[in-house]
Amino acid sequence: MESDPSSRKQAVIIGYFVAAGIGMLALQWLLATYNTIETIPYSEFERLVAQGGVTEVSVAQDTIQGKLKDKLPSGKSAFITARVDPGLAEKLESKGVVVTGVPSGGLFQTILSWIIPALMFYLIWIFLGRRLADRQGFGGLMSIGKSRAKVYVEKDTKVTFADVAGVDEAKFELQEVVSFLRDPKSYGRLGAHVPKGILLVGPPGTGKTLLARAVAGEAGVAFFSISGSEFVEMFVGVGAARVRDLFDQARKAAPCIIFIDELDALGRSRSAGAFGGYDEKEQTLNQLLAELDGFDPSAGVILLAATNRPEILDPALLRAGRFDRQVLVDRPDKSGRIAILKVHVRKIRVGKDVDLEKVAALTPGFTGADLANLINEAAIAATRRNADDVSLDDFTVAIERIVAGIEKKSRVLGKDERRRVAYHEMGHALVAANLSGVDPVQKVSIIPRGVGALGYTLQRPTEDRFLLSVRQLKNRIAVLMGGRASERLIFDGDVSTGAADDLQRATEIAIEMVTKYGMDEKVGQRTYASRPQMFLQAAQDTVVSAAELTGREIDLAVRDLVEAGDACARAILEKHRRDLDEGVGILIAKETLTAEEFAPLRPAPAQQTASP
């Protein structure tokens, strides 16, 4: 099998040129033959016969073609005329003319009149049919059982482990695959063999596909890449045929790597549904399981797959002997984010004031794709202001754009609304500045952003957190309730709808504390929430499996946590009322205020706790 797509394309182009040359030669021969024959009237033909000027003729059913003794005035000696008189043969014989009968419709005439038009209609039908099939998603009946895997060779991949950062553990695991593909005999000298299948699991955007391509680039082998959704179509059995064809191609191109992206589209757990064993997806999965059992890893075929939903995969797919190893590609920590930023800043012109460690500290929870998007947004921001390089301020603007949304300076707020929004946001900021276990405040703004935010308070974490205590979660609830507490304090209990999102987030934290983490003594240390999805940030089912009396206790516990946070926020704001009024005055005048510009927003040495 030819694994180089450029050579195949070159062969097709050469074939097109050869066919075009043959066609031009045939057309030239037809024109040359046609130019040596002159059409004459039948009366002229009879006159020439009567004068003895015709040497030989070929009589067809409708025409007469022949040669003359002398050339016509046009210089041609061959002629053709339409046959009119049925008794012509006798007259020709009486004059001594040689008459030759021609059967009706020669081979060349048959080709021109029947085969070529039929071939033209067939080609047009194939062309239009395939275009229609591609638009409808059928893919063409002629290639319905063929794999659509895209083949990347090492010179096309051009991705190595140097281009992948922030996932050192995953790279170490995959280094074994590279070593086996480079030297399988030496690697298996003790009887070990590389795992048949390696499953890359992790949140979206963490670099699973990039890692798979880096393995192929490091090993210098062919790389078959296909999505799990491309196996399944409307025709039953197509997916199984494509799985067989993909593995057949891989065996011929060994050593190579097969990479199946979004494996959950193909390997979802089987259940007794309406279609039972005749479901197309189930047949495709069964064929994949059979291929995994049948191929020998010593042949140099390695199967890599990626998914962000491992919890829904079929257990038979994950057992030993199929996907032997699972490699976690998680969100990078601070050091990983610094490494990823160093890889991506090579493509832009960075200013001297840019400290990648500060940028990494501002982006907790960002994936590799998020960081690449951040650098691009920062470069766009620098280009927009006609700068010579990208500065740290451009990175800050890009982070705010990604986290809070686009600034909407065209949305003009009234004087009373601006004052209310300013007190709301300053309430968040002051509560955060006076509580421990929360991220320090970086900036407060009353410029509308995103869909419905009339202002925002941006907090910057100082370090990555992997565990949260009860105190830290209660303090976060208090910070979220700071905006509503400030409105209630300043406007004599006349609160607004601006705290809707704050109440939602505070309630979600309280529900998780009670139903997921067992942090309420009255409800007890038991989990009442459904199991969340592992990597996707989807809304979880808030319905808890508890008795009616326990459900009421959960509701009361959630309410108490939110009310305790509100009480803590009000106490802090009453104590710092002067700072609240002063900060609001500056915020209204400048629209944006940082912790460096307003000292009370800086974390205090001794901070309080939002304990009830």
Side-chain angles (χ1 to χ4, degrees), residues 41 50 114 126 196 396 426 479 550 580:
W114 290 99
I126 289 294
K196 283 188 176 181
T396 304
M426 188 56 64
V479 173
T550 306
L580 179 62

Side-chain angles (χ1 to χ4, degrees), residues 238-527:
V238 173
R242 286 181 176 169
V243 171
R244 289 191 295 268
D245 182 68
L246 175 61
F247 278 84
D248 288 341
Q249 292 184 47
R251 291 187 184 97
K252 295 177 182 177
C256 66
I257 292 175
I258 300 175
F259 177 61
I260 302 177
D261 201 4
E262 303 297 340
L263 182 64
D264 49 274
L266 170 64
R268 184 185 292 267
S269 180
R270 292 167 290 184
S271 60
F275 295 98
Y278 297 96
D279 186 14
E280 166 65 3
K281 289 186 178 180
E282 185 170 333
Q283 290 192 18
T284 307
L285 175 58
N286 291 335
Q287 184 63 45
L288 178 61
L289 297 176
E291 292 291 344
L292 285 172
D293 288 336
F295 85 94
D296 183 8
S298 62
V301 179
I302 307 297
L303 179 62
L304 295 179
T307 181
N308 46 41
R309 304 182 68 188
E311 67 277 0
I312 69 170
L313 293 180
D314 194 277
L317 195 61
L318 302 178
R319 74 159 175 83
R322 285 170 179 161
F323 279 100
D324 299 296
R325 182 177 298 177
Q326 294 188 21
V327 177
L328 176 61
V329 188
D330 206 352
R331 290 184 175 88
D333 55 11
K334 184 177 178 180
S335 60
R337 293 195 297 273
I338 294 175
I340 294 173
L341 289 171
K342 288 180 180 179
V343 171
H344 290 293
V345 294
R346 302 172 188 167
K347 304 176 183 178
I348 64 173
R349 186 180 301 172
V350 183
K352 296 181 179 180
D353 65 329
V354 175
D355 186 355
L356 295 182
E357 186 173 352
K358 292 182 179 179
V359 178
L362 288 170
T363 55
F366 275 41
T367 63
D370 296 330
L371 293 173
N373 182 44
L374 168 64
I375 292 176
N376 184 60
E377 290 289 345
I380 292 175
T383 305
R384 190 180 296 118
R385 63 183 182 86
N386 296 323
D388 295 330
D389 51 32
V390 183
S391 66
L392 184 60
D393 292 336
D394 295 319
F395 280 96
T396 304
V397 170
I399 292 173
E400 293 177 6
R401 181 186 179 92
I402 294 173
V403 174
I406 304 174
E407 286 189 359
K408 293 187 176 181
K409 294 185 178 181
S410 60
R411 181 180 293 175
V412 181
L413 301 179
K415 182 178 179 181
D416 294 338
E417 283 187 339
R418 281 170 60 86
R419 183 169 177 266
R420 184 180 288 272
V421 172
Y423 270 106
H424 184 101
E425 299 300 335
M426 188 56 64
H428 286 305
L430 282 177
V431 173
N434 289 276
L435 286 177
S436 62
V438 297
D439 299 329
V441 177
Q442 180 189 9
K443 181 182 292 185
V444 184
S445 176
I446 57 173
I447 299 176
R449 280 182 177 267
V451 178
L454 301 179
Y456 67 97
T457 301
L458 184 63
Q459 297 174 258
R460 181 183 65 185
T462 56
E463 59 184 6
D464 291 335
R465 289 193 179 96
F466 304 99
L467 293 175
L468 293 172
S469 65
V470 176
R471 178 175 56 86
Q472 291 172 334
L473 291 173
K474 288 182 177 180
N475 287 353
R476 289 192 175 191
I477 294 176
V479 173
L480 290 169
M481 298 304 297
R484 170 61 65 87
S486 178
E487 290 187 44
R488 184 175 297 177
L489 175 65
I490 300 300
F491 300 101
D492 298 328
D494 184 22
V495 296
S496 68
T497 59
D501 185 63
D502 300 331
L503 293 174
Q504 177 69 30
R505 292 163 60 191
T507 303
E508 289 175 356
I509 294 176
I511 290 176
E512 288 189 342
M513 290 177 63
V514 176
T515 64
K516 184 177 180 181
Y517 303 122
M519 292 180 173
D520 187 83
E521 295 181 359
K522 296 180 181 179
V523 177
Q525 301 184 42
R526 200 204 115 170
T527 298

